[in-house]
Amino acid sequence: MKFTLSWLREHLSGDYSLDDVTGALNRIGLEVEGVEDKAAKLRGFTIAYVVSAVQHPNADKLRVCMVDTGAGEPVQVVCGAPNARTGMKSVFSPPGTYIPGKDMTLGIGTIRGVESRGMLCSAAELQLSEDHDGIIDLPEDAPLGATYVDWIGLDDPVIEIAVTPNRADALGVHGIARDLAAAGLGTLVEDEIAPVPGVFPCPVSVTITADAPCPAFALRLVRGVKNGPSPDWLQAKLRAVGLRPINALVDITNLLTLDQNRPLHVFDAAKVQGNLVVRRAKAGESLLALDGKTYALDETMCVIADDRAVESLAGVMGGEESGCDEATVDVLVESALWEPINIAQTGRKLGLNSDARFRFERGIDPAFTLPGLELATKLILDLCGGEPSEVVLAGAIPDTTRVIAFPLALTEKLTGLVAEEDEQVAILRRLGFSVQGVAGTVEVTPPSWRGDIEGKADLVEEVIRIAGLDRVPSTPFPRDETARKPVLTTLQLRTRKGKRALAARGLVEAVTWSFVPKAQAEAFGGGQPALALANPIAADLSDMRPSLLPGLVRAAQANADRGFGDVALFELGQVFKGDRPQDQFIAATGLRRASAKPTGAGRHWSGKAAAVDAFDAKADALALLAACGAPVANLQISTDAPAWFHPGRSGTFRLGPNVIGHFGELHPSVLEALDAAGDGKSPLVGFEILLDRIPEPKAKATRVKPLLELIPFQPVERDFAFVVARGFAAGDMVKAAAGVDRKLITGVGVFDLYEGPGVEADKKSVALSVTLQPREKTLTDAEIDAVAARIVAEVTKKTGATLRG
């Protein structure tokens, strides 16, 4: 929201400076994003008199001017403007001045052999307009030597503030002034808006259909107007905030949009056929809007139509065919109310933004519907003349009255701010609230323009922002011998540690949409019904995500489409397995594509990088689980991964019946459905761990393990090759070997798998590497052989395997 300081003064009287305004706005929650002071940029430009202007001796289109700047002897200036002449007054910039229209700092120069010590400027060079055909021609009474911006009144800074979605009332200068007055800066100027009597019945009627999202629609005709350029004061206001003046009628509606937060629309009555109807659009209808684009409409959108066709997209933008121009004589002025959600949906569907949509979708003051029309009528009569008709009102202005019981002691209870009860009541009344009672619990009625005030906590917020956050006392933590309790929850700690662990393995964090298309929600939902949104922001973002994998796959494919195929991504975020609170989890998910192996693995200068596989995803998941404090040694891995993983190249992490997560290579059909199959030669592997399902750590450890155990004895490794049935899980063999002596055996891993000649057709050879770590003495050969024999016996007994000769 932009406005000038002088515009604010029209609504807020008093003696205050620009710094006072910006400071007060920041204190009351209307954050100042920037201040543009044109006077500061143009301070070096002065009014000068052209003593003489003669032809340049070496250029036909240049003149050599002697210019009296009012500060000493005349200076020589070479000028190329066709209107430069002897005796005129113009705007002069001396050497060292920054010229904003040319983005340059002026210096002393020589042009075609003649020295030039300054510049006579056009309005375009000062960025005051687009006129660059000649230098600025000032009247004879312009004071010589005066600062140009001070003389023309450009010393009017433009203030831009950020307005949160709940504060629609601050999208008008009058609403901003109201807040500042409540904060003690000046006095609010309240001008009563008197009704403009109609002198004839309005010839156009309005009908609102039953399904139209329009509570009320007011209309009147003003006939005999003379439309044309708006007055200089109005054009200057609009230009100052970045709007282009169009004509008087349109400029009036733009003025009221910014001044009172009351968007309106004007129709050229001669271009409207018959009466108006507010209805839903019909399939196949379209509208050529005022921005010159044609928009296809559907049944969810609300339109204003006449007997011929659609004339306006309700609350968003008018149509070009019924727009006002200089030939307009009779004008229909509309002031309506629209349902905010419908306006937002329409704007998003069409990708159409406008000042009207921005305000209507946030909710405007319903009680100002008719006063806004009266104010617009008065401005039209003052600037364009004409005669007004009576007002036609279809529908009814909704009654937004609601009473909130507000215990004044709640302010201190919720915020710590100590404010007297009469001070709180005074603040609310200055903001426009009606307050019954002065002590204890009062009854507060919010004004019609504050649709965001719904409960007691909202009233506390109003009191504290006007009273001042600087009055909230600072309460330090007690500094005694009692230890503080942990601030972060277990889940928060796991989230932080998990991110660090995955980043250390070379994965890059991504943040994807929490919404996915329905087909993906059903595919990754594990048989659960999709959790659909009642009001999705887009058709392809209709359901809450049951898994983070679809978003990461799309992100990886987007990188691959741009030439970065070897990507490794991870994300920690919420997933939705159902519509109950207990069906929502925090998931940690990682994805590797093509040859994006873990840091330091899979690449060598002498050969081609290897492709990722399911074991890379498994290693990522185990690193994450270890960082989050999961009992990794007790995990069981089963082969019943969900359908979106490749069978035989995936697995599930379990602790008994508790499923913690899954890992593996993504199924080709899933990649095809996600349009991420690529050339079919770049596999995607991933994992998903539900952090909520990791068991809570024990309150007290049964024994404290050293962070680093220094053992002076050399470990011993022995390899074993077993022949076992082809379908047997190698993990069970690892468990059997590790269980022989858990104190002595510190590691068991599979390092080879063989099927082929020398092994029966229904068998496979699995090679295990076992690490023995003595702690008390060096092992003898006899002791090592004894342990090896026990390992063979145990694996044979529990798996039916035989030692390969």
Side-chain angles (χ1 to χ4, degrees):
M1 174 65 190
K2 290 184 178 181
F3 58 95
T4 63
L5 185 60
S6 63
W7 198 340
L8 178 66
R9 293 188 188 278
E10 295 177 11
H11 297 275
L12 188 69
S13 64
D15 184 14
Y16 50 84
S17 66
L18 174 63
D19 290 341
D20 295 333
V21 172
T22 57
L25 287 170
N26 284 324
R27 286 196 305 274
I28 62 178
L30 300 177
E31 180 183 359
V32 177
E33 291 194 317
V35 176
E36 182 187 8
D37 191 354
K38 290 185 178 180
K41 293 192 300 183
L42 303 178
R43 186 62 61 189
F45 296 83
T46 59
I47 298 174
Y49 175 73
V50 180
V51 178
S52 64
V54 299
Q55 185 68 42
H56 191 291
N58 302 318
D60 294 339
K61 295 185 178 181
L62 297 178
R63 288 179 173 82
V64 180
C65 303
M66 297 302 296
V67 178
D68 182 3
T69 65
E73 294 296 324
V75 297
Q76 182 172 276
V77 175
V78 177
C79 181
N83 64 332
R85 66 185 186 278
T86 300
M88 73 178 298
K89 284 186 177 180
S90 188
V91 178
F92 172 75
S93 59
T97 307
Y98 175 73
I99 312 297
K102 292 184 174 293
D103 191 22
M104 57 167 280
T105 299
L106 189 64
I108 299 175
T110 301
I111 303 175
R112 293 290 184 93
V114 177
E115 185 180 65
S116 179
R117 290 183 167 269
M119 179 177 178
L120 295 173
C121 303
S122 68
E125 287 162 341
L126 272 61
Q127 290 187 336
L128 298 179
S129 75
E130 298 178 359
D131 183 10
H132 52 75
D133 292 336
I135 58 177
I136 298 173
D137 194 350
L138 300 179
E140 294 182 1
D141 59 352
L144 181 66
T147 301
Y148 176 63
V149 290
D150 292 342
W151 179 70
I152 63 171
L154 271 183
D155 52 343
D156 191 10
V158 178
I159 305 167
E160 182 175 7
I161 63 172
V163 181
T164 53
N166 64 311
R167 290 300 311 278
D169 63 296
L171 292 174
V173 181
H174 186 77
I176 297 169
R178 183 192 301 114
D179 263 21
L180 290 172
L185 186 74
T187 303
L188 182 66
V189 178
E190 290 280 15
D191 293 329
E192 184 177 352
I193 301 175
V196 178
V199 297
F200 61 93
C202 183
V204 178
S205 65
V206 180
T207 303
I208 303 176
T209 61
D211 62 341
C214 175
F217 190 104
L219 185 74
R220 86 182 322 162
L221 176 73
V222 182
R223 66 188 180 191
V225 300
K226 184 177 181 181
N227 194 21
S230 56
D232 291 341
W233 64 266
L234 179 50
Q235 293 192 35
K237 271 189 176 182
L238 298 180
R239 283 199 183 99
V241 296
L243 289 183
R244 179 176 59 89
I246 299 174
N247 56 56
L249 291 173
V250 176
D251 291 352
I252 287 171
T253 63
N254 288 334
L255 173 69
L256 291 179
T257 297
L258 297 171
D259 189 76
Q260 299 288 337
N261 189 33
R262 177 62 252 190
L264 304 113
H265 185 63
V266 289
F267 300 90
D268 188 328
K271 300 174 184 177
V272 174
Q273 298 185 14
N275 297 316
L276 296 180
V277 57
V278 181
R279 59 171 173 81
R280 300 272 186 175
K282 300 174 183 178
E285 286 186 320
S286 62
L287 174 70
L288 175 61
L290 288 171
D291 62 358
K293 298 179 181 179
T294 300
Y295 296 93
L297 311 179
D298 62 36
E299 295 87 341
T300 66
M301 302 172 185
C302 185
V303 298
I304 305 169
D306 60 10
D307 294 345
R308 178 184 62 86
V310 173
E311 297 294 349
S312 176
L313 192 57
V316 180
M317 187 172 286
E320 188 172 283
E321 294 183 4
S322 59
C324 296
D325 53 32
E326 292 184 359
T328 299
V329 176
D330 300 334
V331 60
L332 288 167
V333 188
E334 163 226 316
S335 178
L337 285 176
W338 312 103
E339 290 184 4
I341 292 179
N342 182 264
I343 297 297
Q345 290 175 332
T346 299
R348 281 199 295 263
K349 279 186 177 181
L350 298 178
L352 182 54
N353 293 308
S354 66
D355 286 337
R357 173 200 163 182
F358 189 80
R359 287 162 171 79
F360 277 124
E361 68 183 4
R362 284 159 173 78
I364 64 171
D365 182 6
F368 199 73
T369 302
L370 291 176
L373 181 59
E374 301 290 359
L375 187 55
T377 303
K378 183 178 184 303
L379 284 170
I380 291 173
L381 297 180
D382 291 344
L383 302 183
C384 305
E387 292 181 322
S389 75
E390 297 172 352
V391 174
V392 173
L393 177 63
I397 306 299
D399 182 9
T400 60
T401 304
R402 58 202 179 282
V403 178
I404 302 172
F406 179 41
L408 297 171
L410 187 63
T411 300
E412 182 177 359
K413 181 179 179 181
L414 292 184
T415 67
L417 175 70
V418 179
E420 297 295 332
E421 292 184 341
D422 57 349
E423 179 188 5
Q424 297 187 52
V425 170
I427 287 174
L428 292 174
R429 285 175 174 164
R430 291 201 301 270
L431 287 170
F433 292 79
S434 173
V435 183
Q436 301 297 322
V438 293
T441 299
V442 298
E443 293 185 343
V444 180
T445 303
S448 58
W449 59 81
R450 291 304 301 271
D452 60 307
I453 303 298
E454 299 177 350
K456 296 176 286 187
D458 297 324
L459 297 175
V460 171
E461 181 182 357
E462 293 303 299
V463 171
I464 192 174
R465 74 181 182 89
I466 298 300
L469 287 171
D470 55 335
R471 289 175 52 182
V472 176
S474 175
T475 306
F477 284 109
R479 298 185 178 275
D480 52 24
E481 296 180 357
T482 306
R484 294 186 195 168
K485 295 181 178 180
V487 176
L488 300 180
T489 64
T490 302
L491 192 57
Q492 288 172 328
L493 288 172
R494 287 174 180 169
T495 300
R496 292 190 176 193
K497 292 178 179 178
K499 287 183 177 182
R500 291 174 182 171
L502 295 175
R505 291 184 59 80
L507 289 92
V508 178
E509 185 175 9
V511 179
T512 63
W513 286 103
S514 297
F515 320 116
V516 295
K518 181 172 290 295
Q520 294 180 16
E522 292 174 346
F524 286 83
Q528 297 295 325
L531 184 59
L533 295 169
N535 181 29
I537 61 175
D540 59 345
L541 297 173
S542 59
D543 293 77
M544 303 304 293
R545 61 184 179 192
S547 170
L548 300 177
L549 280 171
L552 290 181
V553 171
R554 290 198 303 271
Q557 187 59 41
N559 279 273
D561 292 342
R562 289 159 178 79
F564 300 96
D566 297 337
V567 291
L569 305 174
F570 79 90
E571 180 175 8
L572 276 79
Q574 201 166 22
V575 295
F576 305 84
K577 303 291 187 180
D579 57 359
R580 302 174 303 170
Q582 57 267 37
D583 295 331
Q584 300 176 18
F585 303 94
I586 299 296
T589 301
L591 186 78
R592 293 186 183 273
R593 186 185 187 279
S595 58
K597 285 277 190 178
T599 303
R603 294 183 180 273
H604 194 272
W605 62 269
S606 63
K608 186 179 180 181
V612 295
D613 56 30
F615 294 105
D616 295 318
K618 178 183 177 183
D620 289 335
L622 290 175
L624 169 75
L625 289 167
C628 294
V632 176
N634 299 330
L635 285 174
Q636 299 97 41
I637 300 177
S638 59
T639 58
D640 55 341
W644 51 88
F645 285 106
H646 196 299
R649 301 180 189 174
S650 58
T652 296
F653 292 111
R654 294 177 177 273
L655 280 172
N658 180 23
V659 175
I660 295 180
H662 317 280
F663 71 92
E665 182 178 331
L666 295 185
H667 200 288
S669 64
V670 172
L671 298 181
E672 188 73 29
L674 293 173
D675 196 21
D679 57 4
K681 300 179 181 179
S682 301
L684 276 84
V685 300
F687 68 88
E688 185 162 40
I689 302 297
L690 300 180
L691 299 184
D692 310 70
R693 290 187 174 175
I694 299 176
E696 289 285 335
K698 295 180 180 179
K700 291 184 179 180
T702 55
R703 59 177 179 174
V704 179
K705 296 183 178 180
L707 295 177
L708 178 63
E709 187 178 8
L710 298 176
I711 301 174
F713 305 107
Q714 187 75 14
V716 179
E717 289 189 5
R718 287 291 184 268
D719 297 338
F720 305 86
F722 295 95
V723 177
V724 70
R726 177 178 290 182
F728 197 85
D732 292 340
M733 301 175 68
V734 172
K735 290 180 184 178
V740 170
D741 190 333
R742 295 194 177 275
K743 184 177 180 181
L744 181 62
I745 298 175
T746 57
V748 180
V750 178
F751 71 89
D752 183 54
L753 179 66
Y754 173 74
E755 297 176 4
V759 178
E760 296 178 36
D762 59 346
K763 303 282 186 179
K764 63 183 176 182
S765 172
V766 179
L768 304 180
S769 177
V770 180
T771 302
L772 309 178
Q773 177 61 68
R775 286 174 170 78
E776 298 176 356
K777 66 182 184 68
T778 302
L779 296 176
T780 65
D781 289 343
E783 290 170 331
I784 295 172
D785 292 341
V787 175
R790 290 167 56 196
I791 290 173
V792 173
E794 188 70 12
V795 173
T796 301
K797 176 183 176 182
K798 291 190 173 181
T799 67
T802 58
L803 188 65
R804 186 177 176 189

